[in-house]
Amino acid sequence: AQSVSQHNHHVILSEAASLELGCNYSYGGTVNLFWYVQYPGQHLQLLLKYFSGDPLVKGIKGFEAEFIKSKFSFNLRKPSVQWSDTAEYFCAAANSWGKLQFGAGTQVVVTP
Amino acid sequence: GAVVSQHPSRVICKSGTSVKIECRSLDFQATTMFWYRQFPKKSLMLMATSNEGSKATYEQGVEKDKFLINHASLTLSTLTVTSAHPEDSSFYICSVHTGTGSTDTQYFGPGTRLTVL
């Protein structure tokens, strides 16, 4: 069965710390991978996506993610977080039909 | 990207009544929209795929007679929760699907908070 799992449900860190959120997927065939962010009171926004090519994908706001096919992983990283990065982060996968399956989400709290 | 609106943003209704939620694509003609449900502190669950001019495709376990979807135009899809019950209380989110392959993207609406008393 297709699934997306996120390792951490809740992460608390200080400003300037580095962030890495784990995501693993279980999909047969072609899979497209996404990271979405939901800031408090706002709608989901796309951070970055991977379809093919360079496995290191750079997104908005200084985020990047690395696709490691052998590990079925697509981890999200940011070298130095800011207070404004406090949000919920969702990893998602889609097959060629575009139907997204989301992970459970990770609540990230950045303290000043 | 596409701008997506939902109306209402928040609705409270009595048990047994029906509630209609609108999802509009303001600047993009969308042949495909998706409807999701988000439970508190949980992820989004895909409910159905809304196809313009044809019947919606429902995910396993989602009652199509309970959650009626109409995608009558390229800019509007509606979700009607019929005979709502307290367990239907949730956050409902729609998205507009654009592109194919490497341009495949979804743009999400702000969501509708439904509370059934």
Side-chain angles (χ1 to χ4, degrees), chain B:
Chain B
V3 178
V4 183
S5 71
Q6 284 184 239
H7 178 81
S9 58
R10 202 178 281 268
V11 58
I12 300 172
C13 69
K14 292 182 179 180
S15 187
T17 60
S18 294
V19 174
K20 181 186 282 187
I21 302 169
E22 294 185 348
C23 176
R24 290 185 185 273
S25 176
L26 300 183
D27 56 356
F28 181 81
Q29 292 187 323
T31 54
T32 302
M33 295 184 180
F34 295 98
W35 285 96
Y36 296 85
R37 184 172 176 176
Q38 187 176 29
F39 294 94
K41 299 191 186 298
K42 292 199 173 182
S43 186
L44 285 79
M45 180 193 78
L46 178 64
M47 298 176 67
T49 305
S50 174
N51 303 300
E52 188 269 335
S54 65
K55 290 183 179 180
T57 305
Y58 291 82
E59 295 301 300
Q60 193 172 10
V62 178
E63 299 176 61
K64 61 180 180 181
D65 295 329
K66 174 117 182 114
F67 299 99
L68 300 179
I69 292 172
N70 187 308
H71 193 153
S73 78
L74 289 171
T75 59
L76 174 64
S77 175
T78 60
L79 169 69
T80 301
V81 183
T82 62
S83 186
H85 291 284
E87 57 265 30
D88 298 324
S89 297
S90 193
F91 195 55
Y92 293 88
I93 303 173
C94 71
S95 74
V96 166
H97 181 233
T98 72
T100 58
S102 62
T103 64
D104 186 349
T105 302
Q106 288 186 38
Y107 296 95
F108 288 83
T112 296
R113 173 77 60 195
L114 170 64
T115 303
V116 185
L117 303 176

